[in-house]
Amino acid sequence: MYRLFFIFLFFFSIAFSQQKTPQNDFRSPLDIPIILSGTFGELRSNHFHSGIDIKTKQKEGFEVFAIGDGHVSRIKIQHWGFGKALYVTHTNGYTSVYAHLKKLAPKLEAYLKKQQYSKERYEIQLYPKADELVIKKGEVIAYSGNSGSSGGPHLHFEIRDAASKPMNPMLFGINVKDSHNPTVNGVFGYALSDSAQINSSNKIVQLQLKKGKEKNSFTATKVYASGEIGFGVNSYDRQDLAFNKNGIYQLESYVNGVKNFSYDFKKFSFGESRYINTLIDYPRFKKMKQRVQRCFVTPANKLSIYKDVVNDGKIQIEEGKEYTVVLKVKDFKNNTTTITIPVVGKKQKITQKKKETVTNHLITRNTEHSIKEGDVSIYIPKNTFYEDFYFDLSKDKKGRYKIHNDRVAAHKNFVITFDVSKYTEAERKKLFIASLNRKKKPSYSSTKKNGIKFTTSTKNLGTYFLAKDTIPPKVKPVNFAKNKWISSKKYLKIKVTDNLSAVRSYRGTINGKWILFEYDAKKGMLSYDFSDLIFTEAKHNLKLIVTDNVGNSTTFTSTFFRKN
């Protein structure tokens, strides 16, 4: 019986994945023109963009509509990430996602706040039953906002299939005006073995381009090469009504008229998204902030977006032969920019060689490793990194540990352990593991303390050290003063900041009752909506406790007067 059930599920999932996406089932999530600030599959830090970002005229509060009949299947509220997010599962099997919201529609907001007050938590994840929050197509379900990690007001919108894989919303009939061809910033050649070379170099080589005879076409200057080589493109796309540099939709490669490589952004899974770091030239991105998209597949790459790939997209160049390599960069509307690369097979002496620093620690991709230096030890599980490389672990004059460098991408977490036996128990309470952030300032790295061992689990190489935080968070009232009347205020607002290890938790009460403070982590602002609770008395005693990541705590108290 169970076997028959799983066979049914298997064939159902295949049938669902192969069916054409409905073009008329869904409506737009907004009643304003669809102008994008982000496209599906766009290249982001360590992941592909899983939806489209719809501009909201730099404002919050636009009505967000259910794109089809269904029910609310998930509500997720968090300080960062999607912020306030709503998931609607539709009768046709797809799920739509609406994120960075300002607030939910009244009946959904009431459902959410009831749960938040019951659990006395702002950050929460709820999975309503199918008959609890039934939604009709065109019903207002939320209001657009800027919550979570959003960089400005917009609606992040997704459509996911029955297997929870994000799909390109444009496949469902969403129309965006786009008559622009993708822009190509650069084309690069890669020698893919020690003996291979391009123009006497086995380093990455940027090709010189000139405009071609056809519109939106370019031709590279002739390339002389030998051995196994590949190419990469740095490009972006731009729609008609926006200046944003968005991601491309499709990339293809042809050798002498035969396709040897392509990928497109119709669908991917969240489990594979971090493999973006094998699609792009990650070291170049970290060094020069350029995302070069490789037209070949490296051994650790497990992305499902590829098709028509021959020999992993790599090109074997033979002496005396000539090749015409054509790269086609496309957007969703099939606007295409073409690059033609003439290649002549010619063995040349390699005058520019890749440099590799050899250390005592060779990391092989499919093996686990343990490395120790001074007070620090590193545990690296197998398949943490995408390639083999020599690992550097050293200590600088300030006592900070340089754990290789950030130009190598990690796919899985590795563990850093500090021996803190030389510190007293009282000192350890205020210590934490820190890393240097982009601004070269200490940043809290989630620290587990077990006696004389402090550990942090991370995917980020870089500089790590022990830092001390003895200063409690600061709490400052924004729109009220002690012993004053504030009956005209809709919200109670308080600014909270921490100088080093960052705010970990907060708890607020009025007259002894827990209140829901919404936390805008970007601004460090706590806001309480006075309509949440009814207080019969006019005098109110506020108490707020804010704690940082090492346990430093500030208790703020105040009295104010207000009538409902």
Side-chain angles (χ1 to χ4, degrees):
M1 188 72 173
Y2 284 108
R3 186 177 180 183
L4 288 173
F5 175 71
F6 285 114
I7 290 173
F8 168 77
L9 281 182
F10 174 74
F11 284 106
F12 174 79
S13 64
I14 291 176
F16 188 89
S17 65
Q18 290 178 343
Q19 70 182 13
K20 291 183 178 180
T21 55
Q23 297 294 297
N24 301 310
D25 284 14
F26 295 140
R27 57 150 291 162
S28 172
L30 294 170
D31 268 352
I32 58 175
I34 301 299
I35 302 173
L36 304 184
S37 60
T39 51
F40 182 82
E42 196 166 87
L43 309 180
R44 302 286 177 90
S45 293
N46 300 309
H47 70 283
F48 297 108
H49 191 226
S50 56
I52 56 175
D53 287 341
I54 305 174
K55 288 174 173 284
T56 55
K57 303 180 180 180
Q58 301 180 7
K59 299 176 184 178
E60 299 182 41
F62 284 95
E63 292 180 330
V64 177
F65 301 93
I67 62 170
D69 293 347
H71 67 276
V72 174
S73 53
R74 186 182 182 192
I75 300 171
K76 187 174 183 179
I77 310 296
Q78 57 188 147
H79 296 143
W80 295 104
F82 277 178
K84 297 182 180 182
L86 192 62
Y87 299 69
V88 176
T89 296
H90 300 283
T91 53
N92 59 7
Y94 295 97
T95 296
S96 55
V97 183
Y98 314 79
H100 304 307
L101 302 170
K102 181 178 183 179
K103 62 180 180 179
L104 309 186
K107 76 173 182 180
L108 306 184
E109 188 79 2
Y111 177 92
L112 167 64
K113 286 197 173 183
K114 182 179 179 181
Q115 298 298 320
Q116 288 174 316
Y117 271 94
S118 173
K119 299 177 185 298
E120 294 191 354
R121 284 206 326 253
Y122 171 68
E123 288 194 299
I124 198 168
Q125 189 159 199
L126 305 171
Y127 296 90
K129 294 178 182 177
D131 60 352
E132 280 190 279
L133 298 173
V134 177
I135 298 297
K136 291 294 183 182
K137 181 178 181 178
E139 182 178 341
V140 175
I141 54 175
Y143 301 89
S144 67
N146 186 31
S147 59
S149 300
S150 169
H154 73 280
L155 176 67
H156 174 89
F157 173 71
E158 297 181 12
I159 297 178
R160 300 181 184 180
D161 69 9
S164 295
K165 292 183 178 181
M167 300 182 67
N168 195 324
M170 309 285 278
L171 295 169
F172 294 82
I174 290 179
N175 188 38
V176 177
K177 292 183 178 180
D178 186 358
S179 60
H180 293 277
N181 291 72
T183 297
V184 173
N185 287 327
V187 177
F188 302 83
Y190 291 83
L192 300 177
S193 68
D194 290 339
S195 60
Q197 57 81 30
I198 297 175
N199 295 340
S200 300
S201 174
N202 69 359
K203 296 180 179 180
I204 180 174
V205 175
Q206 183 165 2
L207 308 184
Q208 299 299 313
L209 301 179
K210 59 182 180 180
K211 287 188 176 182
K213 294 179 181 179
E214 302 293 328
K215 186 181 179 181
N216 304 309
S217 70
F218 297 88
T219 301
T221 54
K222 189 172 290 187
V223 168
Y224 296 91
S226 60
E228 194 170 61
I229 69 171
F231 294 97
V233 178
N234 176 226
S235 62
Y236 66 87
D237 188 43
R238 181 173 280 161
Q239 283 84 46
D240 288 4
L241 302 176
F243 289 99
N244 302 76
K245 295 180 179 180
N246 295 328
I248 65 169
Y249 174 70
Q250 188 174 49
L251 181 59
E252 298 176 337
S253 172
Y254 297 79
V255 179
N256 293 337
V258 179
K259 185 187 289 187
N260 75 319
F261 173 92
S262 74
Y263 68 77
D264 60 44
F265 286 112
K266 288 187 175 73
K267 178 197 294 192
F268 61 85
S269 69
F270 287 106
E272 66 182 299
S273 192
R274 196 172 177 90
Y275 284 107
I276 185 177
N277 293 327
T278 61
L279 181 144
I280 66 169
D281 183 338
Y282 188 83
R284 189 174 184 89
F285 166 64
K286 296 301 290 187
K287 184 179 180 180
M288 305 182 70
K289 303 304 177 188
Q290 294 178 348
R291 287 188 172 97
V292 177
Q293 300 159 71
R294 293 163 165 166
C295 300
F296 54 91
V297 183
T298 58
N301 187 327
K302 295 182 180 180
L303 289 171
S304 64
I305 61 175
Y306 299 107
K307 57 185 179 181
D308 302 322
V309 176
V310 178
N311 190 36
D312 291 330
K314 300 169 183 176
I315 307 167
Q316 187 66 41
I317 304 300
E318 298 181 19
E319 177 76 11
K321 291 188 177 181
E322 294 189 2
Y323 306 80
T324 299
V325 178
V326 175
L327 308 180
K328 293 184 178 182
V329 186
K330 300 181 180 182
D331 62 23
F332 188 82
K333 290 293 184 74
N334 207 38
N335 299 307
T336 304
T337 298
T338 303
I339 305 103
T340 301
I341 308 168
V343 181
V344 176
K346 183 179 181 181
K347 290 184 179 180
Q348 299 180 107
K349 182 179 179 181
I350 300 174
T351 57
Q352 298 182 56
K353 296 183 179 181
K354 298 175 186 175
K355 292 182 180 180
E356 185 175 40
T357 302
V358 177
T359 71
N360 294 326
H361 310 295
L362 175 62
I363 302 299
T364 49
R365 181 166 58 91
N366 57 357
T367 308
E368 65 177 25
H369 298 270
S370 294
I371 303 169
K372 190 176 187 308
E373 176 71 31
D375 299 329
V376 166
S377 58
I378 315 292
Y379 170 67
I380 303 171
K382 63 172 61 176
N383 298 315
T384 294
F385 299 103
Y386 301 113
E387 298 176 351
D388 299 348
F389 67 101
Y390 284 99
F391 188 88
D392 177 40
L393 174 59
S394 58
K395 189 175 182 180
D396 67 16
K397 294 179 181 179
K398 294 182 179 180
R400 303 176 304 189
Y401 285 88
K402 179 185 176 186
I403 302 176
H404 203 69
N405 62 66
D406 65 359
R407 291 193 293 278
V408 175
H411 189 75
K412 295 170 23 179
N413 283 38
F414 57 93
V415 179
I416 306 170
T417 301
F418 278 80
D419 184 331
V420 296
S421 57
K422 65 182 179 182
Y423 297 97
T424 67
E425 190 171 342
E427 288 173 322
R428 291 174 206 160
K429 289 180 179 179
K430 302 301 179 184
L431 291 174
F432 65 94
I433 299 174
S435 63
L436 281 185
N437 62 23
R438 294 177 183 176
K439 297 180 180 179
K440 303 299 180 184
K441 292 183 178 181
S443 178
Y444 176 79
S445 185
S446 183
T447 305
K448 291 184 179 180
K449 300 182 178 183
N450 185 11
I452 62 171
K453 302 292 184 183
F454 284 12
T455 62
T456 188
S457 181
T458 181
K459 293 184 179 75
N460 300 313
L461 294 167
T463 300
Y464 288 81
F465 53 97
L466 292 173
K468 182 188 290 186
D469 185 359
T470 60
I471 301 173
K474 292 182 180 180
V475 178
K476 182 181 179 181
V478 174
N479 66 342
F480 69 98
K482 191 171 184 178
N483 294 324
K484 299 292 184 181
W485 282 87
I486 55 171
S487 296
S488 62
K489 303 292 184 184
K490 186 177 179 181
Y491 296 97
L492 188 72
K493 295 189 176 183
I494 300 175
K495 179 87 170 176
V496 295
T497 56
D498 189 74
N499 73 315
L500 192 54
S501 65
V503 172
R504 180 184 70 199
S505 64
Y506 57 89
R507 178 181 175 83
T509 60
I510 291 179
N511 301 340
K513 289 185 179 181
W514 184 84
I515 58 172
L516 176 64
F517 268 120
E518 295 195 0
Y519 183 43
D520 185 339
K522 296 191 294 285
K523 298 178 180 178
M525 186 69 70
L526 291 171
S527 300
Y528 164 66
D529 188 338
F530 280 118
S531 66
D532 282 358
L533 298 174
I534 297 176
F535 293 94
T536 56
E537 59 269 50
K539 182 179 179 180
H540 304 284
N541 296 309
L542 170 69
K543 183 178 181 180
L544 174 65
I545 302 171
V546 184
T547 306
D548 66 19
N549 276 298
V550 297
N552 297 311
S553 185
T554 297
T555 299
F556 172 82
T557 60
S558 186
T559 302
F560 62 89
F561 294 87
R562 188 180 194 279
K563 288 185 178 181
N564 286 82

